[in-house]
Amino acid sequence: MALKTSVPKSLRGPIGLLSIIVALLGAVIGYIFLLFGVSLYFQLVPQMNDTMTQSESLVVIVTGIVVFAVGYAGWRGFHYFAY
């Protein structure tokens, strides 16, 4: 709890708000990237069959997972600073 006690009480609220914004954006953007990458990988978008390879779609999937992880870190930060 050293980090929480070293942050002034006046900044804990804005940091908690920023953390929940990061969590929500990470969840939404990560979900979009993940579903778009999966649909590209399984060639569910016929217009994109010739433009992207499967390895590029895997990059989109991994990016979605990373953005989800950032969103989870924001969620953890919210719970750490908001309570």
Side-chain angles (χ1 to χ4, degrees):
M1 295 271 188
L3 179 64
K4 190 173 183 178
T5 57
S6 66
V7 174
K9 286 190 176 197
S10 61
L11 289 179
R12 289 183 194 166
I15 291 175
L17 180 66
L18 182 66
S19 296
I20 194 71
I21 290 170
V22 167
L24 291 173
L25 286 176
V28 169
I29 295 172
Y31 180 75
I32 291 169
F33 270 75
L34 189 64
L35 284 185
F36 187 62
V38 167
S39 64
L40 288 175
Y41 184 77
F42 290 113
Q43 297 176 348
L44 298 175
V45 183
Q47 296 86 0
M48 300 288 288
N49 285 345
D50 297 332
T51 58
M52 291 192 73
T53 63
Q54 284 191 342
S55 61
E56 289 172 333
S57 63
L58 288 176
V59 170
V60 175
I61 292 171
V62 169
T63 303
I65 292 170
V66 168
V67 173
F68 259 130
V70 169
Y72 180 72
W75 181 252
R76 296 285 299 191
F78 170 71
H79 281 285
Y80 189 73
F81 284 107
Y83 296 111

